[in-house]
Amino acid sequence: MLTILIEPNSILRTRCQEMTREEIINPATQKIIEEMIIAMRQANGIGLAAAQVGIAKRIIVVDQADGPQAYINPHVTDHSKQMVESEEGCLSVPGVWGIVKRFKKIRLKARDRQGRLQQLKATGLLAFVFQHEIDHLDGILFIDKAERLEKGDKATSEL
Ligand code: ZN
């Protein structure tokens, strides 16, 4: 079972590695994806990056209306000019939440768990989740960007 790392931890501050299609379809990677989905659900999160479970690869999982999806090598290709306030928490920074400015709309490219390239659009909460998780892949935490941090629990998005 995967354990979610808590800041401070050097893996949370690492730039994670891109994966080739061959690496993605490898059964070991498929198992990691399955276990990341389980870890995300057990923690009641709506997104999780591999770095958060100690794996420095560019893999994220996102819980969506149609079920959890994995995205590999995700990157933003275009975004709205407009930035909006996102109220966020992070499974790796428990007991803290904050306001982060995020792009309202993004376009991104990623590979799915079969290694196929896909293009996506995201807006609102889903756009915030992608931006938060992609930051994790570059060793960036929301507390680095937050304009205001508050202690305590709040009904906010745990990513
Ligand atoms: Zn997070």
Side-chain angles (χ1 to χ4, degrees):
M1 210 185 92
L2 299 173
T3 304
I4 295 176
L5 302 180
I6 303 299
E7 163 80 354
N9 185 296
S10 62
I11 298 175
L12 291 172
R13 296 311 195 165
T14 300
R15 188 185 183 279
C16 298
Q17 291 177 327
E18 304 262 339
M19 299 191 85
T20 64
R21 190 176 169 277
E22 289 67 34
E23 286 173 317
I24 294 166
I25 59 177
N26 187 297
T29 303
Q30 297 296 315
K31 187 161 185 285
I32 288 168
I33 291 169
E34 283 303 317
E35 292 188 350
M36 283 176 65
I37 290 168
I38 292 167
M40 173 176 70
R41 289 190 151 167
Q42 282 183 342
N44 290 320
I46 54 173
L48 187 71
Q52 290 179 277
V53 291
I55 298 162
K57 302 283 185 185
R58 301 184 84 80
I59 306 170
I60 65 172
V61 292
V62 178
D63 210 0
Q64 291 170 245
D66 55 348
Q69 302 288 336
Y71 301 96
I72 297 101
N73 305 337
H75 60 279
V76 174
T77 56
D78 199 7
H79 57 77
S80 59
K81 283 205 183 86
Q82 191 184 359
M83 297 186 87
V84 287
E85 291 190 341
S86 165
E87 191 176 272
E88 295 179 17
C90 179
L91 296 171
S92 296
V93 191
V96 178
W97 62 277
I99 304 291
V100 185
K101 286 257 175 73
R102 300 283 189 195
F103 298 116
K104 188 178 181 187
K105 294 181 189 173
I106 55 171
R107 282 178 194 268
L108 54 160
K109 281 188 182 166
R111 288 188 184 269
D112 68 12
R113 58 186 296 176
Q114 280 81 39
R116 295 174 299 217
L117 261 179
Q118 51 181 175
Q119 297 193 58
L120 302 131
K121 279 190 225 174
T123 184
L125 177 61
L126 188 58
F128 301 157
V129 175
F130 276 115
Q131 290 171 80
H132 179 115
E133 302 308 336
I134 291 171
D135 277 350
H136 272 301
L137 303 181
D138 293 319
I140 298 164
L141 298 176
F142 86 100
I143 50 175
D144 305 339
K145 294 183 164 181
E147 295 182 353
R148 204 174 79 233
L149 284 171
E150 305 278 351
K151 287 232 159 84
D153 289 325
K154 190 152 194 286
T156 182
S157 310
E158 292 289 337
L159 307 163

